[in-house]
Amino acid sequence: MRPLEIAGLGLIRPPIENALASARRHEAAGFDAIWWSDHFLHWFPPGVWTPDLVPHAAVMRSPHAFLDPMPVMGAVAGVTERVGLGTAVTDAVRRHPALLAQTFLTLDHLSRGRALLGIGVGEAENIVPFGLPFERVASRLIEAVEIIRLLWSTIEPVDFEGEFWRLDGAILGAEPYGERPPPIWMAAHRPRVLRATGRLADGWMPNFVDAGEYGAALAVIRAASTEAGRRPEDVRAGNFVWMVVDEDRGRAERMLDSLLLRLVALTAPTSEYERAGSVHPLGSRWGLLDYVPTRLSREEGLAAAAAVPEEVLRRYYFWGTPDDVVDRLRPFRAAGLEHAYLVNVTPLADLSVAATAADRTEEVLHGLRRLP
C-alpha cells in the first residue's frame, strides 16, 4: 500500500491574508495537500445566525461569506512551494467543463504542477437558489469529466456530442506545466459514479464514516479500473474526515451536542438516520446533496437541529482526542485509505477553541504519519 497522504482544509473567507498564512502553515507542518471548498452557501439557515444562538455571529456578519477558491489557490501558489492545491469539490453546473479545464491548467502553471481538480455532482444549496439546473447530476458529472479529459488530450480541434454539452471544433491549446495534466479527483458514493471514477479519475474523495462501506465502495472502483484497462491502483483513495477534536475526550463528546454541528449533521444521508432508528428531520434522501438551508426559517432550522439523534452525531463526526481520531481511521487505512482530508469543525461547536484548532489538527497529522 502506498504511504498515507494527509491533507488539510484551506481557508476561504476574507481577509485573504489569513488564507495565505494558513496555507504556509499547512506546508510547514508537512501536509501533502490543501483542499478548498467551492461554496456560495454554508449549512446554516440565515435565521439562526444571531448572537443569542451563535456566538460566531458577533464576529462574522454572515456564515455564507465564501471567496472563489480558484483565485485563492492562485494566490496561495505564489507563497508555497510543495503542497498540492485543490478543490474538494467543485461542480460542472456552475462552471462549464471547458472553463474548468482551462482554469485548472492555469492553476497547474501558477503552482508549477501542484493543481488538483476535485469535482462532484454539486450540492443543491449552491445551485438551486441561483436558478441553475439540478437534475440528472450523476450523468452531468460523468459527461463533464469526459469533456475535460478530451480537451486535455490534444491541442487539435475536438468534437463532442453529449446530453448536456456539445463541442464542435473546440480547442484548448494550453498544455500542462509538466508531462501530465492535473489529477482529477471525483467525489463518488453510488455505484454508477464509483464505476466512472474507476474509469476516469486519478483520485477518489468521498465522505464515508463506516470503514466497511468505504472498503466495499473502493472495491467497485478498483474493479472498474481493471475493466477499463487501467491498473487498480491508478485511483488514489481519499476520504473527508470531519473532526471534532480536543485534548479532553469528554469535552469533545460534549461539543457534539451543539447547534451548528447539529445543523451540519443534516447533511448526513437518510441511511445514517435509519441506522439510528430515526428519519431525516428534513425528509431528505441524500442530505449533503439536497439540503438547502435558506429554505428553513429560524424555527424550522432549530426544530430540525434538535431532531438529529445523538447516534448520528457520534457516527458522523470523527471525535475525541487526536489519538482517538487516529484510532478510528485505522480500519479505513486497512480498507485502502491513501489520502485523509482532515476537516476540523470543532470551532463550530465552541468558538473559544479556534485559536488552537490548527494545533489539534497537526497532532492528528503526526499520529497518522505513524500508521503503517
Side-chain angles (χ1 to χ4, degrees), residues 10-304:
L11 296 187
I12 198 67
R13 302 182 183 279
I16 191 62
E17 289 77 14
N18 289 351
L20 301 180
S22 173
R24 287 192 292 262
R25 175 167 179 168
H26 275 71
E27 183 166 76
F31 284 92
D32 297 291
I34 306 171
W35 297 99
W36 279 267
S37 303
D38 187 6
H39 276 249
F40 287 146
L41 302 182
H42 211 323
W43 303 114
F44 312 126
V48 309
W49 197 260
T50 55
D52 59 316
L53 293 176
V54 181
H56 310 62
V59 295
M60 183 185 302
R61 292 179 60 191
S62 171
H64 312 292
F66 292 105
L67 299 174
D68 186 329
M70 311 308 179
V72 171
M73 287 191 289
V76 168
V79 299
T80 56
E81 297 179 355
R82 176 195 55 80
V83 68
L85 312 173
T87 48
V89 292
T90 190
D91 61 74
V93 180
R94 294 172 294 162
R95 304 179 191 268
H96 190 285
L99 178 62
L100 284 170
Q102 183 187 50
T103 297
F104 276 85
L105 281 178
T106 304
L107 289 168
D108 189 44
H109 283 267
L110 287 170
S111 64
R112 294 176 173 82
R114 294 182 283 135
L116 307 166
L117 170 51
I119 186 170
V121 298
E123 296 150 352
E125 66 165 9
N126 297 312
I127 295 170
V128 173
F130 300 91
L132 297 170
F134 198 58
E135 300 86 23
R136 305 196 62 210
V137 292
S139 297
R140 181 180 291 268
L141 168 63
I142 294 167
E143 187 172 305
V145 176
E146 291 172 341
I147 289 172
I148 293 168
R149 286 287 189 213
L150 176 62
L151 289 169
W152 282 350
S153 69
T154 179
I155 60 172
E156 300 299 324
V158 296
D159 300 332
F160 184 91
E161 193 69 44
E163 296 182 57
F164 307 97
W165 296 282
R166 178 174 180 268
L167 304 181
D168 183 5
I171 298 176
L172 197 62
E175 297 185 87
Y177 174 79
E179 295 182 359
R180 299 185 59 191
I184 296 177
W185 290 65
M186 291 177 66
H189 297 84
R190 297 188 293 281
R192 184 180 174 209
V193 184
L194 290 170
R195 291 191 296 270
T197 300
R199 177 170 60 90
L200 294 168
D202 304 291
W204 175 47
M205 187 63 76
N207 182 15
F208 276 91
V209 297
D210 182 275
E213 293 172 357
Y214 179 88
L218 181 56
V220 174
I221 291 174
R222 298 293 190 225
S225 292
T226 301
E227 291 170 7
R230 308 175 72 196
R231 299 175 302 171
E233 65 270 20
D234 281 348
V235 181
R236 186 174 290 274
N239 197 44
F240 278 82
V241 182
W242 285 4
M243 306 186 303
V244 179
V245 59
D246 192 85
E247 291 181 322
D248 183 278
R249 179 182 298 135
R251 185 180 181 192
E253 185 174 14
R254 290 190 295 274
M255 284 192 286
L256 293 173
D257 186 17
S258 63
L259 174 59
L260 295 186
L261 291 185
R262 284 181 166 274
L263 287 168
V264 174
L266 295 174
T267 65
T270 295
S271 58
E272 285 299 314
Y273 286 87
E274 291 174 345
R275 195 190 305 263
S278 181
V279 296
H280 197 290
L282 302 178
S284 169
R285 184 181 181 191
W286 303 116
L288 181 69
L289 299 188
D290 55 24
Y291 169 35
V292 181
T294 52
R295 289 177 169 172
L296 301 181
S297 67
R298 177 184 175 99
E299 294 72 22
E300 290 169 335
L302 293 176

